[in-house]
Amino acid sequence: LLTVFLITAICICSSFSVSAYTEQYVFDYENALSYDEVQELESTAEQIENEYGYCVMFCITDEETDENYAQNIYDTYTDNENGIIFVHNIESEMYHYYVTESGKSTFDLIKMQDAYDSNNSYFGGIEDFYAVVENSLSYDDNEIKDLLRFMKKLLLSFCTKKEKQLEKLLNLH
């Protein structure tokens, strides 16, 4: 049973591994952001990836976009299997996303879009978007920590019961 617990813990922890390589996080094809703003957003996204293992990208463009456009950017610039890219077409005011399979149950896309839209600047909107992402990931991280604590208590309880049963058996003989 201890082996099963350890294997489960290793599997859960390995799902948080950081990407081997993410080339870029912020794509501003319309020059809506200053150089310093892009650098600050890049730094925030890199911190999120390092802490939670999720790549978070953002793209501002006026090209025709769809989910395939978003996925193509994501796949081109990272090999991380955990993440999301938010694409804002500023000409048509359309939003598209690509979310990896592992992120589909983690991210609330409506909440993310609302956070972005609620700000008056692109920079502030992306900062708010990153804050919602980080909040979602920290919540997910806490759930896993709670699960590990529960599994530890369960394992200890099981071991204690088995130890008491073994003691009774040994005392009978």
Side-chain angles (χ1 to χ4, degrees):
L1 187 61
L2 180 59
T3 304
V4 171
F5 173 74
L6 291 175
I7 290 171
T8 303
I10 290 168
C11 289
I12 289 171
C13 291
S14 69
S15 71
F16 290 109
S17 65
V18 175
S19 169
Y21 185 69
T22 297
E23 185 176 330
Q24 184 177 350
Y25 300 96
V26 179
F27 305 87
D28 179 17
Y29 298 120
E30 299 310 309
N31 297 316
L33 302 166
S34 72
Y35 174 83
D36 290 339
E37 289 173 332
V38 170
Q39 295 309 305
E40 187 174 333
L41 294 169
E42 286 276 337
S43 178
T44 301
E46 185 175 15
Q47 288 171 355
I48 291 170
E49 185 172 28
N50 288 337
E51 185 169 342
Y52 300 104
Y54 276 81
C55 177
V56 182
M57 296 176 163
F58 202 98
C59 175
I60 299 172
T61 186
D62 70 352
E63 293 181 31
E64 190 166 323
T65 59
D66 60 13
E67 286 77 16
N68 292 329
Y69 179 92
Q71 183 175 359
N72 185 44
I73 292 175
Y74 188 90
D75 291 342
T76 300
Y77 290 94
T78 188
D79 62 359
N80 192 333
E81 295 178 4
N82 305 309
I84 183 172
I85 181 168
F86 180 106
V87 177
H88 177 199
N89 181 315
I90 61 174
E91 187 174 297
S92 67
E93 288 301 319
M94 294 293 294
Y95 301 102
H96 291 95
Y97 308 88
Y98 168 69
V99 183
T100 60
E101 200 59 42
S102 62
K104 288 183 179 174
S105 63
T106 303
F107 299 121
D108 181 341
L109 298 176
I110 293 171
K111 189 182 258 186
M112 291 173 162
Q113 183 174 328
D114 287 348
Y116 174 72
D117 284 341
S118 69
N119 203 290
N120 291 331
S121 73
Y122 293 113
F123 175 73
I126 298 170
E127 278 189 318
D128 291 348
F129 167 79
Y130 282 162
V132 171
V133 167
E134 195 163 13
N135 187 48
S136 298
L137 292 171
S138 65
Y139 176 74
D140 214 31
D141 189 36
N142 288 332
E143 283 184 336
I144 289 175
K145 287 177 184 174
D146 289 344
L147 176 63
L148 288 174
R149 276 191 222 99
F150 171 76
M151 290 174 65
K152 180 180 175 183
K153 285 180 184 177
L154 185 63
L155 179 62
L156 289 173
S157 172
F158 178 78
C159 290
T160 303
K161 287 178 185 176
K162 289 297 176 188
E163 185 179 320
K164 287 179 183 178
Q165 289 174 349
L166 182 60
E167 277 180 27
K168 284 181 182 178
L169 275 174
L170 292 174
N171 287 335
L172 292 176
H173 295 286

